[in-house]
Amino acid sequence: MMKQVVLFIFLNVVSACSYAQLKNLDINVEESAAVFLEEFNDEFQENFFEALKQKGIENYDRAINALLVCKKIEPANSVVDHELAKTYALDKQYSLAIDYGVASVAAEPDNFWYLATLADVLRKQGAGIEEVRDDIPFENEKLQENLALLYFKRGNYNQSLTTLKKLKKSPFSDNLKAKIQEWVAKERKNMQLRKEIRKNEITQTQAKEDPSKRYKAEIDSLIAIQNYSQLKKVSDEALEAYPSQPYFYYAQGYALNRTAKHKAAIEVLEAALDYLVGDVSLANKIYTQLGEAYNAINNSVKANMYLRKIK
């Protein structure tokens, strides 16, 4: 078992870098291999190192042949099975990759990386891990935890939750559920943001086609950032170009109200009502502003009259 642990550590170090990258880092690959593989006999070491080197430079046939020699020397070595699964997959020999992937998971069902490799190969074939459930200890508790984690890492949150439901309640299941909920919330927020961006893009496109929509988009932005002096200026321009648009009267009245010019605001807002037809939302906004303006000049009767009109 110690041999496999040492070998597995080395294998993951080498897998993180290509052979060329190791050379560029001035790491003596052969000396490193000697340190990590010293537990194994010379023939195994030479062939295993050769396999890693050939895989790193994409000579997959030679890498596979060297690994098969290692397999003959140590038939039960799950690390070799795992490496064969990865190398056969790189060589697009998926059937053999699945066979060796299954062998590595069957030997060590609690190993996350073995399961991840097998799942990757199966996915390339359009299949899922359930396809080989009879060939591996599928109900193993740790394997199921790893499977739930694997689904989570790939963004398959529903599958991850479904897998978690089969497991006993534990700190692991609680933590993973919390992470899933966090990511789902983030994705919903991002989706809403994308919708808003798309909506703005459509609005901007429409604004280019229709100048009145450009004015409305600009007014909406000025209201949002509370730039009332600029809002008054833009609404003046909009009214000059479109004197029958009630929204532009509302925008000007809003700007006047916010700059304490309440009598002027009342005049403009009441003018807006002359052009208003069937827009309940805009009517409510105008009534609200009229209520505020009349309250500001201490005319509660008129203020209440307009506020009662809000639907």
Side-chain angles (χ1 to χ4, degrees):
M1 186 63 182
M2 179 57 71
K3 290 181 180 181
Q4 292 192 6
V5 171
V6 172
L7 180 56
F8 184 70
I9 292 170
F10 171 69
L11 181 55
N12 279 281
V13 170
V14 174
S15 296
C17 306
S18 69
Y19 181 75
Q21 287 173 321
L22 289 173
K23 287 295 188 183
N24 289 337
L25 292 171
D26 292 327
I27 295 174
N28 189 315
V29 182
E30 294 185 13
E31 288 181 7
S32 299
V35 171
F36 284 103
L37 299 175
E38 62 186 3
E39 295 284 339
F40 299 88
N41 67 42
D42 291 344
E43 186 180 3
F44 185 97
Q45 289 184 43
E46 289 172 6
N47 280 281
F48 192 82
F49 168 73
E50 182 65 18
L52 296 180
K53 184 177 72 172
Q54 294 299 331
K55 188 181 78 167
I57 56 178
E58 300 182 6
N59 286 333
Y60 301 129
D61 286 345
R62 291 184 180 182
I64 289 166
N65 290 335
L67 286 168
L68 290 173
V69 173
C70 294
K71 182 70 177 169
K72 286 181 181 179
I73 297 169
E74 293 213 12
N77 193 308
S78 62
V79 176
V80 176
D81 288 333
H82 180 231
E83 192 63 21
L84 276 164
K86 291 196 296 181
T87 310
Y88 273 123
L90 289 169
D91 201 38
K92 295 182 171 54
Q93 297 188 58
Y94 297 118
S95 179
L96 287 168
I98 291 170
D99 289 344
Y100 281 104
V102 165
S104 65
V105 173
E108 291 191 40
D110 60 344
N111 190 301
F112 175 83
W113 300 110
Y114 290 0
L115 181 67
T117 294
L118 177 57
D120 283 340
V121 178
L122 287 164
R123 186 170 56 172
K124 288 174 182 176
Q125 293 294 91
I129 200 73
E130 292 78 10
E131 297 288 327
V132 295
R133 62 180 300 156
D134 294 336
D135 302 314
I136 59 177
F138 190 74
E139 301 303 326
N140 178 281
E141 188 81 2
K142 186 62 180 176
L143 186 148
Q144 287 293 314
E145 286 185 0
N146 287 339
L147 188 58
L149 182 58
L150 187 62
Y151 285 142
F152 167 73
K153 286 179 175 291
R154 291 176 176 169
N156 298 330
Y157 301 128
N158 288 335
Q159 286 180 288
S160 185
L161 285 172
T162 300
T163 305
L164 283 174
K165 287 177 183 177
K166 302 174 187 176
L167 301 174
K168 296 176 184 176
K169 184 177 174 61
S170 67
F172 169 84
S173 63
D174 290 342
N175 289 338
L176 189 53
K177 282 178 184 176
K179 286 182 179 179
I180 291 171
Q181 290 168 354
E182 180 184 342
W183 277 97
V184 167
K186 283 182 180 178
E187 287 204 347
R188 284 176 181 165
K189 185 176 180 180
N190 289 337
M191 186 178 297
Q192 186 60 36
L193 181 60
R194 287 193 292 272
K195 285 182 180 178
E196 289 297 324
I197 291 171
R198 179 59 183 153
K199 183 179 177 182
N200 288 338
E201 288 174 347
I202 292 171
T203 300
Q204 289 172 8
T205 301
Q206 291 173 337
K208 290 177 182 178
E209 298 168 354
D210 183 345
S212 69
K213 290 181 180 178
R214 177 178 61 79
Y215 277 122
K216 187 177 185 305
E218 187 175 358
I219 285 169
D220 288 341
S221 298
L222 291 170
I223 290 173
I225 64 174
Q226 302 178 9
N227 188 338
Y228 304 127
S229 60
Q230 185 65 15
L231 177 60
K232 172 66 168 60
K233 180 181 177 182
V234 172
S235 60
D236 278 340
E237 290 178 7
L239 279 172
E240 188 175 343
Y242 302 95
S244 61
Q245 291 279 355
Y247 181 78
F248 299 146
Y249 286 92
Y250 158 73
Q252 190 173 89
Y254 185 94
L256 290 166
N257 247 351
R258 290 295 176 272
T259 53
K261 297 175 182 176
H262 305 297
K263 289 183 180 180
I266 290 169
E267 184 179 348
V268 172
L269 290 164
E270 288 184 336
L273 296 175
D274 295 336
Y275 299 100
L276 190 63
V277 180
D279 191 336
V280 175
S281 175
L282 180 56
N284 287 340
K285 291 177 179 179
I286 294 170
Y287 295 145
T288 299
Q289 289 304 310
L290 281 166
E292 288 184 15
Y294 274 112
N295 269 327
I297 63 171
N298 298 315
N299 189 338
S300 59
V301 175
K302 281 273 195 170
N304 290 332
M305 181 188 79
Y306 282 116
L307 292 174
R308 280 196 296 269
K309 290 176 178 287
I310 296 173
K311 296 177 183 180

